[in-house]
Amino acid sequence: VQGALNELDTKKLAANMAITAGTNTKITYDENGLITGGAQATASDIVNVAAGNVAATTVQAAINELDAEKVDLSTDQSVAGKKTFTSDLTATTKLTVNSGSNSFSFPTTRGNLGDFLMSNGSGGIQWSSSRKGIEINDGSTKIDITEFYTIHTGNPGWNLRLPKVSTVGSGKEFVVKNLSNPNAQILIMTTSTDIFDDPAAIGSGNQMPISYGEWVKFVSYGGNTWYVFKGL
């Protein structure tokens, strides 16, 4: 009997050192299967099966990967790739398209009725009213026409002058109506180098009268010619 007891004693599995009692989600054990310690599992301990665009193999690595690729809506960030929005997109601050010398920014305010967007030549898009009408009734004796529609109600002795064709380019239109005086005309002038298209029918090569109640459309063409379309 003693020999059997001695044999069993040499083959028994000795207990490990005592550990703190408790409940944990992660344990460690030795080669004999005895628990040697415990701890709370973290996201780094949980296996993640790589799928889709996520290559990480643990939950924590997957979280880090997604965090590095997220679009941060509160700070400056460059985002690569094409993004498609299926609902309305609202920008509460200035919206800039492209970068560097090719960038341009939209205004952050509404324009007035009839305004349109135009480039300022320096990367800004701004509201413009340059194609709106204007009433001329001031004390100038020679007034430059700058608005698409011009109604003259002032002294008929004042002259209106078209801009240079070479400055505005071909296809620029101006419409002028004379409401200055029932018994008088106003005089439309060009610069010294510009002419009207039919001086013989109109009169002088670089000036023409408009009677009361008449309107005339001027269309720039070529390098120095204003084509005239006259209505009653």
Side-chain angles (χ1 to χ4, degrees), residues 160-172:
L160 305 185
R161 180 173 55 194
L162 290 164
K164 289 181 66 65
V165 173
S166 59
T167 300
V168 298
S170 292
K172 182 70 174 181

Side-chain angles (χ1 to χ4, degrees), residues 171-231:
K172 182 70 174 181
E173 299 181 6
F174 293 101
V175 177
V176 180
K177 186 175 182 67
N178 176 17
L179 293 178
S180 62
N181 188 304
N183 301 312
Q185 297 177 329
I186 60 173
L187 194 64
I188 307 297
M189 306 179 64
T190 70
T191 64
S192 59
T193 57
D194 290 352
I195 61 172
F196 294 116
D197 62 303
D198 191 1
I202 297 171
S204 176
N206 69 339
Q207 59 184 10
M208 68 165 292
I210 301 179
S211 298
Y212 178 81
E214 291 183 340
W215 65 264
V216 179
K217 177 187 284 188
F218 302 94
V219 181
S220 59
Y221 179 78
N224 68 338
T225 303
W226 285 99
Y227 277 72
V228 179
F229 300 84
K230 193 171 184 180

Side-chain angles (χ1 to χ4, degrees), residues 40 113 128 176:
Q40 294 296 321
L113 180 64
S128 174
V176 180

Side-chain angles (χ1 to χ4, degrees), residues 35 47 53 55 59 68 87 94 103-104 111 123 127 133 136 149 153 157 186 190 209 226:
I35 296 174
V47 175
N53 295 323
V59 170
S87 58
K94 183 172 64 176
S103 67
F104 58 94
W127 293 109
I136 292 180
Y149 293 106
T153 61
I186 60 173
T190 70
W226 285 99

